[in-house]
Amino acid sequence: MTSPLKKYVFGPVRSRRLGRSLGVDLVTAKTCTFDCVYCEAGRTTDLTLDRRAYVPTEAVIAEIASVLSTDIPLDVVTFSGAGEPTLHAEIGDVISAIHALRPDLRVVVLTNGSLMGSAQVRRSLMNADQVKISVDAIGPDAVARINRPHPDLDWEQALEGIRLFCGTFGGDVSMEVFIVPGINDTQDELKKIADYLKPLQIAEVQINTLDRPGVESWVHQLDARRLEEIRAFLGDLAGIIGAPVNTVASRGPVCLSGLTSADVLEMIRRRPCTAEDISKTTGVSEGRVKQVLGALVAASVAQCEKQVRGTFYFTRC
Ligand code: SF4
């Protein structure tokens, strides 16, 4: 595990899709081009389109280098965290530095795609191995209601930039569509999404739904039947990652964090754990672990019991 004193990297955490992932956070919380209604990182306090070095590039690279110089087993370095990583003007330099330090590691960037209209941003991601882009809606009204972008953001230009990026990027592009019931689950909006995604050169489309409390309490989870209908509608490349909590064990990684409910469930299936145990094992904050555990208990997937050392979480097979 990395030192808790690290400022820009977190984890490693285990992800079913990515393996052992070291997270890198390139912006200060919470800096983003969007203020999504479902964001797990809270309200955006710095809503901006301004690209700059939000955190010092050399310090980030030094911190990554110090982790990579240890014998901590890793498969991938993932740019995620509480905000939009492409806002950092030197993300390309950090990606190149990781490749120079450890050519064996894959580099993955999770982005909301909003800055892809910029050729400079597209170029800065060309050295990544995988880029996962969120496109929740095509229509400006739906985008405004779900993602609440910076008022000066040109979403049409961003969509065109994403299209160009998919056509030129040498690595894997995957798309994530977060479904907010009542907004982007209408046939009209889904058709726009399907029509946009169809010609793109992408590896997969991941459909997500609310798994833990987002920013707005009116956002709720989509039921499994409707999720499956949407998956079928979006075609062969589509899969569900944000399963309802009663099928949470099948989930993959989520936006902004490598720790999934499925990962936690696997741990407490093997032996009862406290939130502190899981936090120490994964490097993820105890508060966040408690959020995941709370959701599992609320869904009756896990149980808890107070003991001398703390509250233990477990499952009954
Ligand atoms: S979900 Fe991602 S894109 Fe949306 S506000 Fe949160 S960090 Fe930004």
Side-chain angles (χ1 to χ4, degrees):
M1 293 299 114
T2 59
S3 158
L5 296 176
K6 295 276 183 274
K7 285 174 74 176
Y8 314 113
V9 304
F10 54 93
V13 294
R14 271 188 318 107
S15 152
R16 284 191 170 189
R17 285 165 183 267
L18 300 176
R20 291 159 299 195
S21 168
L22 182 73
V24 179
D25 200 349
L26 284 184
V27 292
T28 42
K30 198 218 153 194
T31 305
C32 198
T33 54
F34 284 172
D35 183 20
C36 300
V37 293
Y38 57 77
C39 186
E40 298 163 2
R43 288 299 300 248
T44 296
T45 49
D46 186 4
L47 184 66
T48 182
L49 300 178
D50 184 23
R51 295 194 74 222
R52 59 185 174 85
Y54 286 87
V55 294
T57 306
E58 283 180 10
V60 173
I61 293 172
E63 217 172 75
I64 294 170
S66 77
V67 177
L68 298 189
S69 67
T70 68
D71 56 2
I72 293 173
L74 284 174
D75 300 303
V76 63
V77 179
T78 307
F79 289 82
S80 54
E84 171 51 38
T86 62
L87 275 170
H88 196 291
E90 290 160 8
I91 184 172
D93 295 339
V94 184
I95 293 171
S96 298
I98 295 166
H99 281 313
L101 287 162
R102 284 282 299 272
D104 58 309
L105 292 182
R106 284 172 61 76
V107 176
V108 177
V109 179
L110 311 185
T111 172
N112 63 25
S114 58
L115 299 177
M116 286 290 205
S118 154
Q120 206 174 27
V121 171
R122 296 196 297 275
R123 266 197 306 275
S124 72
L125 299 182
M126 283 297 170
N127 276 341
D129 297 288
Q130 185 183 344
V131 176
K132 181 174 169 181
I133 307 171
S134 295
V135 174
D136 300 329
I138 305 300
D141 289 350
V143 171
R145 292 174 66 196
I146 295 172
N147 304 116
R148 302 187 294 200
H150 187 283
D152 295 337
L153 181 75
D154 186 337
W155 182 237
E156 264 189 40
Q157 191 182 49
L159 289 173
E160 175 59 11
I162 292 168
R163 191 187 65 74
L164 289 171
F165 182 77
C166 292
T168 51
F169 183 56
D172 292 335
V173 179
S174 56
M175 291 289 177
E176 178 173 323
V177 182
F178 193 106
I179 302 293
V180 178
I183 302 182
N184 62 346
D185 61 339
T186 62
Q187 275 315 109
D188 181 45
E189 194 54 49
L190 288 171
K191 182 167 183 339
K192 286 180 192 164
I193 294 170
D195 289 348
Y196 174 74
L197 295 179
K198 200 170 181 185
L200 299 186
Q201 293 168 41
I202 52 178
E204 61 179 342
V205 179
Q206 301 175 353
I207 303 164
N208 205 349
T209 188
L210 196 74
D211 177 49
R212 54 182 69 89
V215 165
E216 302 297 347
S217 57
W218 54 262
V219 179
H220 61 270
Q221 194 175 64
L222 202 63
D223 66 75
R225 186 185 53 80
R226 183 65 183 136
L227 270 176
E228 178 51 33
E229 285 172 4
I230 291 172
R231 189 206 59 73
F233 183 76
L234 291 181
D236 292 344
L237 293 179
I240 296 169
I241 60 166
V245 281
N246 60 353
T247 58
V248 74
S250 63
R251 295 196 62 238
V254 295
C255 180
L256 303 176
S257 168
L259 184 71
T260 68
S261 303
D263 292 331
V264 173
L265 201 50
E266 272 178 25
M267 286 182 215
I268 62 174
R269 266 200 179 123
R270 268 184 260 122
R271 58 178 185 148
C273 299
T274 65
E276 187 187 1
D277 296 335
I278 296 170
S279 175
K280 280 183 178 162
T281 306
T282 60
V284 174
S285 76
E286 200 173 319
R288 179 149 182 86
V289 171
K290 279 181 177 166
Q291 271 189 330
V292 176
L293 287 167
L296 291 171
V297 171
S300 304
V301 178
Q303 292 170 280
C304 62
E305 197 173 284
K306 271 194 179 163
Q307 294 194 0
V308 178
R309 193 161 72 78
T311 302
F312 281 81
Y313 295 81
F314 54 93
T315 61
R316 294 216 192 279
C317 299

